[in-house]
């Protein structure tokens, strides 16, 4: 840089070289802005001449040429802003934090009049930013300054200001700046792909230790890479390297020695120059990242004596066993302090044997009489005692224990000395509980915190210590002479708890430090604590568990909770019960004053069958319901009540008697379930209440199986057929399977109609009924196995479809998935397999078909049933539809053949009638005189009609065969 921008001295030499030697070169001067050439001219001749009047005269033209040669070197030497850092208009995201660096200014000076100073021009108090000039020396090529944001930016608003830069000679440049906030959010993760965050460093870490690293991306609009800086503490530095053209890595390392006891935390800032910024939203040329360094404590500081009066005057009348004083030491390592043990150093000290020290409390007491000490010392000479405080090492891996010694001086008492005294004989102060450390006790009138000693010289020097304080307070000054106003401050607020004690009592000891004296004065201090709301309510029980019936009604008392607050009522101790949290909490009422919980609604939603117990929480808050809160679990365990009625699986059960009248065609079971949660409320029993004529039927009370008490023997009676001597009820024909009304035109059929009741064992007993129909073993009853398409078909739709096809009443006994070879069913009837054998899924339906005397099959109804939506045909495949159409065509051909057979029979019948009729030309009488053709007179003629084949659709055998074939 010095070669490109020559110093003023170089320009001075250049100016001397171009000025003729005839001009006095002592008149060439170096000014702030450059070099000027000057000469002396005569007032009469107008020519320049030497001051000593010995130089020859030269033309004025040569002087002007010399000045013209010097002039270009003297122009434009003020400091200049770097053109790349001009803040014409800087876009800043609105989330920029106050106190962050939003821009980096740079400036240079050709004359190297460093350091340069950057300042705001105008009223700096109203500016949005402040300028921080960075350190700069003559060894730098440029000087820099940070632009720091001092208040929040409003999006869309422009902020204008001016910044000046000055050199050490007064040269100055000014540039106008403007910033505006955008609604963009700073992409911190894009700027810094890796952040250091919080770094934990032990205090004994060596210099040069690498702590962590950060990654920063450069601005894509700039060619130059991103440059990282670390600010905040000279103990840390950053080492940068480029891991890619777009990204730089900065490693944070340690430059100096850390000390936990001096400073445990460091707040550093990593500044990335020319870091990534979103184009069109952010034009800042710098980005900042906060890094926190936490120093971990290491055992490297010996114990420190906090209470060790250097001089103590022994009081008169001290006897062996009396306490002399008490010292106290603490571990200098504040992170994990160790315990301390005390002792006396006896080496080279003849007075050690006269005293004893408690190794845990540090209390020093007298072992031998004072006269024995006086025999070894002179009057007024101090008795020196060395006390050692040593750390306790409890682990093998811990660093070695450290120790500290302190020397104490004891002076024997002097009778002619007077003790110090206090302004008041006692002191009273008031203080809020949990007061922060450092809070000063205020002694109001008439209490004056002053201590005095009327003795002159060394006898007037006294110390102030606190007794019975347990480290709660500390007093200053510790040593005074003549008189002093003392101040008592809070040191540790652990004992300042109003709920534990409403006041704290301790003493102030004023003890002389003069030679051969130990006079002292004690004064009592009482500190009354003021209560504050620092405790939440506390419930009397850890939880509340109640047992309630599930059919509880509105107004039922659930429980009463109770909570107390140790704070006084005027400071938040008044407790209110605010809310209930949990399931169905709106079904409960909570009295805010008494804590009584009651049921609010009859339809409360608590159901033992849904959930055996409900877990809720009751909340209480102090300060009349707006202060600290507490919650207690409320468990409501529901008692099962018999509120569920047994329900049958279906309202109608239908069974068919076997041919031997000893049992049923299938096991006859009825089943009902009870929704109650516990026994005996959910235990179901069965009984027959109607229709069990002469107790011929038996219903098992537990399993629900219907049986016959004995075989039924058929017997013919006058009023119709009877079974077992019983007259059966006449049941109007109808759809037995559905239990609906009888179809019009259908005849009556004989069935046994029983009424069964299912009841539970709860109190009160709840029950429901169902109808059982028992059909006789008639010849018009068939059990048929059907193969239907689909898995798990709709039983009602299948039942209706089969009733239309067969023309009888259908009772479905079983529905199961079909498998190849199931039940001996030929596979060729269903296209070569089913189930898992390839093709569509099928189901096996076993049904009982009951035929009346005149069962009818309506073909149109079958076609309508098979064509409408929602039937079982909707799930058959295209191949099966083709097979059905093919079989339907064969069926039409079958009926066509029957029709032709009927026509043939009618033709034959017509011929026979014609032969019988006398008028018919075919009659034999018209051809034989005897009236008979080939027969003897009087012989009876037997007409034998040709049998006509007929098959009644809907008959028992035909229906079963057709159903099984299809």
């Amino acid at each position: 840089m010095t070669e490109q921008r020559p110093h003023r001295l170089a320009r001075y030499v250049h100016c001397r070289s171009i000025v003729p030697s005839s001009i006095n070169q002592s008149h060439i001067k170096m000014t702030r802005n450059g070099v000027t050439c000057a000469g002396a001219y005569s007032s009469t001749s107008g020519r320049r001449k030497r001051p000593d009047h010995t130089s020859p005269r030269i033309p004025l033209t040569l002087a002007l040429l010399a000045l013209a040669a010097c002039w270009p070197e003297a122009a434009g030497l003020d400091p200049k802003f770097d053109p790349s850092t001009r803040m014409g208009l800087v876009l800043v995201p609105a989330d920029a934090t106050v106190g962050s660096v939003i821009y980096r200014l740079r400036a240079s000076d050709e004359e190297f009049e460093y350091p340069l100073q950057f300042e705001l021009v105008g009223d700096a108090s109203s500016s949005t930013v402040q300028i921080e000039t960075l350190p700069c020396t003559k060894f730098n090529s440029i000087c820099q300054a940070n632009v720091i944001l001092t208040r929040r930016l409003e999006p869309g608003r422009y902020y204008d200001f001016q910044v000046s830069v000055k050199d050490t000679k007064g040269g100055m440049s000014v540039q106008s700046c403007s910033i505006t906030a955008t609604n963009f959010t700073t992409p911190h993760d894009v700027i810094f792909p890796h952040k250091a965050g919080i770094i934990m460093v032990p205090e004994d870490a060596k210099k040069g230790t690498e702590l962590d690293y950060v990654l920063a991306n450069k601005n894509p609009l700039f060619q130059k890479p991103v440059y990282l800086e670390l600010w905040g503490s000279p103990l840390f530095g950053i080492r940068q390297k480029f891991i890619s053209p777009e990204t730089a890595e900065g490693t944070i390392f340690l430059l100096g020695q850390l000390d936990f006891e001096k400073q445990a935390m460091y707040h550093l800032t990593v500044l990335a120059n020319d870091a990534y910024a979103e184009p069109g939203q952010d034009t800042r040329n710098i980005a900042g990242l906060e890094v926190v360094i936490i120093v971990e404590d290491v055992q490297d500081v010996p114990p420190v004596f906090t209470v060790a009066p250097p001089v103590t005057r022994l009081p008169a009348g001290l006897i062996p066993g009396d306490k002399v004083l008490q010292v106290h030491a603490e571990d200098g390592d504040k992170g994990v302090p160790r315990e301390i043990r005390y002792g006396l150093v006896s080496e080279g000290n003849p007075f050690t044997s006269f005293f004893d020290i408690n190794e845990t409390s540090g209390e020093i007491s007298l072992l031998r009489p004072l006269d024995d000490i006086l025999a070894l010392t002179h009057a007024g000479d101090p008795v020196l005692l060395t006390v050692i405080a040593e750390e306790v090492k409890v682990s093998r891996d811990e660093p070695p224990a450290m120790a500290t010694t302190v020397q104490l001086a004891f002076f024997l008492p002097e009778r002619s000395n007077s003790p110090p005294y206090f302004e008041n004989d006692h002191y009273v102060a008031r203080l809020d509980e949990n007061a922060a450390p450092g809070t000063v006790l205020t002694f109001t009138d008439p209490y004056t915190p002053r201590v005095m000693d009327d003795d002159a010289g060394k006898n007037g020097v006294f110390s102030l210590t606190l007794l019975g304080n347990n480290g709660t307070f500390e007093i200053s000054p510790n040593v005074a002479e003549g008189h002093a106003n003392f101040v008592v401050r809070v040191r540790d607020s652990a004992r300042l708890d109003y709920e534990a004690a409403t006041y704290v009592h301790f003493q102030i000891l004023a003890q002389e430090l003069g030679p051969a004296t130990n006079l002292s004065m004690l004064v009592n201090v009482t500190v009354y604590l003021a209560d504050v709301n620092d405790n939440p309510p506390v419930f009397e029980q850890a939880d509340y568990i109640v047992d309630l019936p599930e059919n509880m009604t509105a107004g039922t008392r659930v429980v009463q909770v109770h909570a107390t607050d140790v704070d006084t009522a005027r400071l938040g101790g008044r407790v209110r019960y605010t809310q209930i949290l949990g399931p169905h909490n709106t079904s409960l009422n909570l009295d805010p004053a008494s804590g009584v919980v009651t049921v609010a609604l009859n339809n409360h939603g608590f159901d033992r069958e849904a959930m055996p117990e409900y877990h809720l929480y009751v909340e209480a808050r102090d300060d009349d319901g707006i202060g600290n809160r507490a919650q207690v679990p409320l468990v409501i365990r529901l008692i099962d009540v018999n509120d569920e009625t047994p329900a049958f699986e279906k309202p109608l059960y239908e069974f068919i008697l076997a041919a031997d009248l000893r049992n049923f065609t299938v096991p006859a079971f009825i089943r009902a379930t009870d929704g109650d949660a516990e026994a005996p409320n959910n235990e179901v029993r069965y009984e027959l209440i109607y229709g069990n004529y002469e107790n011929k039927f038996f219903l098992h009370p537990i399993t629900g199986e219907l049986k016959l008490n004995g075989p039924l023997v058929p017997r013919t009676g006058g009023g119709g057929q009877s079974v077992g001597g019983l007259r059966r009820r006449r049941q109007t024909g109808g759809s037995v399977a559905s239990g609906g009304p009888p179809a019009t035109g259908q005849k009556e059929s004989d069935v046994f109609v029983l009424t069964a009741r299912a009841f539970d064992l709860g109190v009160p007993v709840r029950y429901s009924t169902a109808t059982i129909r028992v059909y006789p073993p008639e010849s018009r009853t068939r059990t048929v196995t059907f193969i239907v398409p689909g898995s798990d078909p709709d039983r009602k739709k299948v039942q209706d479809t089969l009733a239309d096809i067969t023309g009888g009443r259908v009772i479905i006994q079983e529905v199961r998935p079909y498998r190849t070879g199931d039940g001996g069913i030929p596979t060729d009837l269903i296209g070569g397999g089913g189930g898992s054998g390839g093709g569509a899924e099928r189901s096996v339906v076993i049904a009982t078909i009951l035929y009346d005397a005149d069962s009818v099959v309506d073909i149109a109804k079958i076609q309508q049933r098979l064509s409408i939506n929602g039937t079982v045909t909707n799930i058959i495949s295209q191949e099966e539809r083709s097979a059905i159409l093919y079989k339907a065509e064969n069926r039409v051909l079958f009926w066509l053949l029957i029709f032709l057979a009927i026509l043939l029979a009618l033709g034959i019948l017509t011929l026979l009638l014609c032969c019988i009729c006398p008028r018919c030309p075919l009659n034999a009488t018209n051809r034989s005189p005897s009236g008979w053709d080939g027969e003897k007179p009087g012989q009876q003629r037997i007409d034998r009609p040709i049998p006509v084949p007929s098959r009644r659709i809907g008959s028992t055998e035909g229906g079963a065969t057709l159903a099984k074939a299809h």
Side-chain angles (χ1 to χ4, degrees):
M1 182 62 70
T2 56
E3 295 178 358
Q4 297 176 1
R5 299 179 180 180
H7 196 268
R8 287 181 299 166
L9 179 59
R11 291 195 292 268
Y12 173 74
V13 174
H14 173 68
C15 186
R16 290 178 59 92
S17 63
I18 63 173
V19 177
S21 58
S22 58
I23 299 178
N24 188 357
Q25 295 186 1
S26 64
H27 292 177
I28 302 175
K29 299 181 179 179
M30 295 196 325
T31 66
R32 186 188 65 81
N33 289 328
V35 182
T36 60
C37 301
Y41 290 90
S42 171
S43 59
T44 57
S45 63
R47 292 185 177 182
R48 188 188 303 266
K49 56 184 177 180
R50 298 178 185 272
D52 55 3
H53 304 282
T54 59
S55 63
R57 296 181 179 180
I58 61 174
L60 180 59
T61 303
L62 294 178
L64 294 177
L65 291 175
L67 291 175
C70 294
W71 179 254
E73 296 291 334
L77 298 179
D78 289 334
K80 298 178 181 179
F81 283 97
D82 189 340
S84 63
T85 62
R86 292 190 179 275
M87 299 181 65
L89 177 59
V90 178
L91 302 180
V92 181
D95 66 342
T97 58
V98 176
S100 63
V101 179
I102 63 172
Y103 210 78
R104 173 65 63 83
L105 293 174
R106 300 183 181 91
S108 60
D109 186 74
E110 294 183 357
E111 298 174 328
F112 287 83
E113 295 174 351
Y114 294 154
L116 303 181
Q117 185 68 30
F118 296 83
E119 295 178 352
L120 285 174
V121 178
D123 187 5
S125 62
S126 62
S127 178
T128 309
V129 298
Q130 68 179 19
I131 305 301
E132 178 187 24
T133 302
L134 302 182
C136 181
T137 65
K138 289 186 177 182
F139 298 101
N140 297 103
S141 61
I142 59 172
C143 290
Q144 304 180 86
N146 287 335
V147 180
I148 302 175
L149 189 65
T150 59
R151 62 176 177 175
R152 278 284 185 181
L153 300 178
E154 299 179 15
R157 180 178 174 182
Y158 288 84
Y159 303 85
D160 300 328
F161 55 93
Q162 289 183 325
V163 179
S164 67
V165 58
K166 298 180 181 178
D167 58 19
T168 56
K169 299 299 183 180
M172 180 178 69
S173 295
V174 179
Q175 76 165 343
S176 297
C177 305
S178 179
I179 61 175
T180 183
T182 64
N183 288 318
F184 185 69
T185 301
T186 304
H188 296 283
D189 294 336
V190 178
I191 300 174
F192 298 100
H194 181 273
K195 304 174 184 178
I198 299 178
I199 304 175
M200 307 295 293
V201 185
E203 65 174 324
D204 60 350
K206 303 298 182 182
K207 295 180 181 180
T209 301
E210 294 184 355
L211 308 181
D212 206 337
Y213 72 97
V214 296
L215 297 179
N217 290 327
K218 79 177 192 67
N219 194 318
L221 301 180
F222 298 159
Q223 293 295 331
K224 51 187 175 181
V226 62
Y227 178 73
L228 299 177
E229 302 174 357
L230 183 65
W231 299 85
S233 174
L235 294 178
F236 304 92
I238 189 168
R239 186 183 299 111
Q240 176 173 318
K241 67 178 179 180
F242 297 101
I243 61 176
S244 71
E246 304 294 330
T247 306
E249 177 183 287
T251 302
I252 301 175
F253 62 95
L254 188 62
L255 289 176
Q257 186 63 42
L258 300 176
D259 190 348
F260 175 85
E261 286 68 34
K262 292 182 179 179
Q263 186 170 352
M265 180 182 296
Y266 295 88
H267 291 271
L268 308 179
T269 302
V270 176
L271 295 179
N273 292 274
D274 300 322
Y276 176 85
E278 187 68 19
Q281 299 290 340
D282 188 356
T283 58
R284 295 176 293 182
N285 64 353
I286 195 168
L289 173 64
E290 297 296 327
V291 178
V292 178
I293 305 293
I294 303 297
V295 182
E296 297 177 329
D297 189 25
V298 177
Q299 291 290 341
D300 59 348
V301 180
V304 177
F305 280 94
T306 58
V307 177
V311 177
T312 302
R313 292 189 177 276
L314 301 180
L318 196 66
I319 61 176
D322 288 349
K323 175 182 176 181
V324 178
L325 61 85
Q326 185 174 4
V327 297
H328 181 73
E330 297 178 354
D331 191 353
D333 298 299
K334 302 303 181 181
V336 184
R338 294 175 172 178
E339 295 184 4
I340 303 298
R341 295 293 183 266
Y342 303 94
L344 297 178
V345 179
S346 59
E347 183 177 358
N349 191 341
F351 300 105
T352 303
S353 60
F354 292 90
F355 299 92
D356 185 31
I357 186 170
N358 189 298
E359 67 173 3
T360 57
S361 65
E363 181 178 311
I364 301 175
S365 58
L366 187 66
L367 282 181
R368 298 168 60 179
L370 292 177
D371 295 339
D372 296 344
I373 302 177
L374 291 174
L376 298 177
T377 183
H378 299 283
D381 291 341
V383 176
L384 302 179
L385 197 64
T386 303
V387 179
I388 184 173
E390 185 179 9
E391 299 174 346
V392 178
K393 179 181 177 181
V394 297
S395 175
R396 183 177 181 181
D397 298 332
E398 290 184 5
M402 305 181 72
T404 301
T405 60
V406 65
Q407 193 172 51
L408 306 178
F410 298 99
F411 287 93
L412 299 179
E414 292 182 0
R415 298 179 181 178
S416 60
N417 194 9
S418 62
Y421 60 93
F422 291 88
E423 188 76 16
N424 300 93
D425 58 356
H426 71 283
Y427 290 92
V428 175
R430 298 188 179 275
L431 183 68
D432 289 342
E433 65 170 328
N434 299 323
T439 304
V440 178
L441 291 184
T442 302
F443 298 101
T444 58
D445 188 67
Y447 302 105
T448 302
R450 182 183 302 162
V451 61
M452 294 169 290
D453 193 330
D454 296 334
D455 296 328
K458 297 182 179 179
N459 291 337
V461 178
F462 56 89
S463 64
L464 294 176
T465 56
L466 300 181
L467 302 179
N469 177 42
N470 290 337
T472 304
F473 299 96
E474 59 184 4
I475 189 171
S476 62
N478 299 114
V479 178
E481 182 180 359
H483 66 277
N485 292 328
F486 59 88
V487 176
V488 180
R489 294 184 176 87
V490 177
R491 181 183 179 187
D492 185 2
S493 60
R495 291 182 58 201
L496 302 179
D497 187 359
Y498 180 86
E499 288 69 37
T502 58
Y503 66 91
V504 178
H505 179 74
F506 60 93
Q507 293 177 317
I508 302 176
L509 172 65
Q511 188 173 31
E512 283 188 356
L513 302 178
T517 181
N518 196 21
L519 298 179
S520 61
M521 175 63 69
L522 283 174
V523 65
N524 294 322
V525 180
T526 303
V527 180
Y528 291 97
L529 301 179
D531 189 21
V532 298
N533 188 16
D534 60 340
N535 293 283
V538 178
F539 284 92
E540 291 183 347
Q541 299 179 206
D543 54 10
Y544 292 85
I545 302 176
V546 295
D547 296 321
L548 295 174
E550 63 175 329
N551 63 344
M552 53 188 171
T553 58
T556 302
R557 179 188 175 100
V558 178
V559 72
Q560 182 176 13
V561 299
H562 187 258
T564 57
D565 195 310
V566 296
D567 294 315
T568 57
R570 66 181 183 85
L571 291 175
R574 188 175 181 183
V575 178
R576 286 291 180 268
Y577 307 95
T578 53
Q579 62 178 334
I580 299 176
L581 305 174
H584 301 298
N585 59 337
T586 56
S587 299
L588 300 176
N589 279 332
L590 175 62
D591 189 282
S594 64
V596 175
V597 181
T598 57
V599 179
L601 305 171
N602 288 328
N603 187 19
H604 44 72
F606 292 102
D607 188 0
R608 175 61 179 80
E609 287 70 41
M611 188 178 295
E613 61 183 33
Y614 292 80
H615 293 259
L616 304 96
Y617 291 90
V618 180
E619 180 186 83
R621 302 184 67 172
D622 59 14
D623 198 7
D624 206 14
I626 61 174
N628 301 320
R629 70 181 68 198
Q631 293 180 351
V632 65
L634 171 59
V635 180
I636 299 178
R637 299 188 301 197
L638 297 179
I639 302 173
D640 188 30
V641 177
N642 192 21
D643 58 348
E644 296 288 338
T645 302
F648 282 96
E649 292 180 344
K650 52 186 177 179
L652 175 63
Y653 293 89
E654 296 174 308
F655 306 107
I656 301 174
L657 290 171
D660 58 358
L661 301 179
R662 294 176 179 271
N663 208 333
F664 299 94
T665 57
V666 294
F669 284 93
I670 64 173
R671 177 174 173 79
T673 57
D674 193 303
D676 287 310
E678 297 177 355
N681 296 334
N682 60 359
E683 295 182 1
V684 179
R685 297 293 183 266
Y686 305 93
E687 63 179 352
L688 295 175
I689 58 176
Y690 299 111
N692 191 8
Y693 306 105
E694 296 184 6
N695 293 325
K696 291 296 184 178
F697 295 94
F698 170 74
L699 181 62
H700 196 283
I702 298 177
T703 63
E705 183 178 6
L706 181 65
K707 296 182 179 180
L708 293 174
N709 287 326
L712 298 177
V713 180
R715 183 174 60 186
T716 303
Q721 185 180 5
S722 299
V723 177
L726 296 178
R727 181 66 178 175
R728 294 180 296 176
R729 294 182 56 187
R730 306 293 294 176
Q731 175 66 31
T732 303
S735 178
V736 177
S738 62
T744 304
Q746 290 184 344
K747 296 183 178 180
E748 298 177 340
S749 61
D750 296 328
V751 295
F752 288 101
V753 180
L754 308 176
T755 302
R757 176 168 61 186
F759 60 93
D760 57 26
L761 301 183
V763 178
V765 177
R766 305 178 73 92
Y767 63 90
S768 62
T769 60
T771 302
I772 303 175
R773 293 180 181 179
V774 180
Y775 298 92
E778 298 178 355
S779 60
R780 293 191 298 271
T781 302
R782 292 291 184 270
T783 299
V784 184
T785 300
F786 296 90
I787 305 297
V788 298
S791 60
D792 192 17
D794 190 325
R795 297 174 69 100
K796 181 65 171 60
K797 293 181 179 180
V798 172
Q799 180 175 282
D800 294 343
T801 302
L802 296 181
D804 292 338
I805 293 175
T806 60
R809 301 167 192 166
V810 178
I811 303 174
I812 296 178
Q813 303 294 342
E814 181 183 358
V815 178
R816 67 174 184 269
Y818 174 78
R819 296 292 182 267
T820 303
D822 188 5
I825 302 174
T827 57
D828 57 348
L829 295 180
I830 57 169
S836 61
E841 295 183 352
R842 293 172 172 82
S843 298
V844 176
V845 178
I846 301 176
T848 301
I849 313 299
L850 304 177
Y851 291 99
D852 294 334
D854 53 353
S855 298
V856 177
V857 176
D858 189 347
I859 299 300
K861 190 173 182 181
I862 294 176
Q863 292 176 345
Q864 181 182 4
R865 172 71 65 180
L866 296 177
S867 62
I868 62 175
N869 294 328
T871 64
V872 295
T873 60
N874 291 337
I875 59 175
I876 66 177
S877 63
Q878 183 63 32
E879 292 79 5
E880 292 172 332
R881 291 182 182 271
S882 300
I884 293 173
L885 292 176
Y886 176 77
K887 295 176 181 179
E889 293 175 356
N890 292 339
R891 189 179 304 171
V892 173
L893 181 59
F894 172 77
W895 288 109
L896 182 59
L897 293 175
I898 293 177
F899 179 74
L900 294 176
I902 293 173
L903 291 180
L904 180 60
L906 290 177
I908 296 173
L909 181 61
T910 303
L911 293 175
L912 292 176
L913 291 178
C914 289
C915 293
I916 296 172
C917 181
R919 298 180 181 180
C920 181
L922 300 177
N923 192 339
T925 58
N926 296 330
R927 296 178 294 151
S928 175
S930 62
W932 295 93
D933 187 8
E935 291 183 314
K936 295 181 180 181
Q939 184 179 3
Q940 185 178 2
R941 180 183 177 184
I942 300 175
D943 294 330
R944 296 180 180 179
I946 300 175
V948 179
S950 64
R951 178 176 293 178
R952 183 169 59 87
I953 300 175
S955 65
T956 304
E957 297 178 357
T961 304
L962 180 62
K964 189 168 185 180
H966 294 283

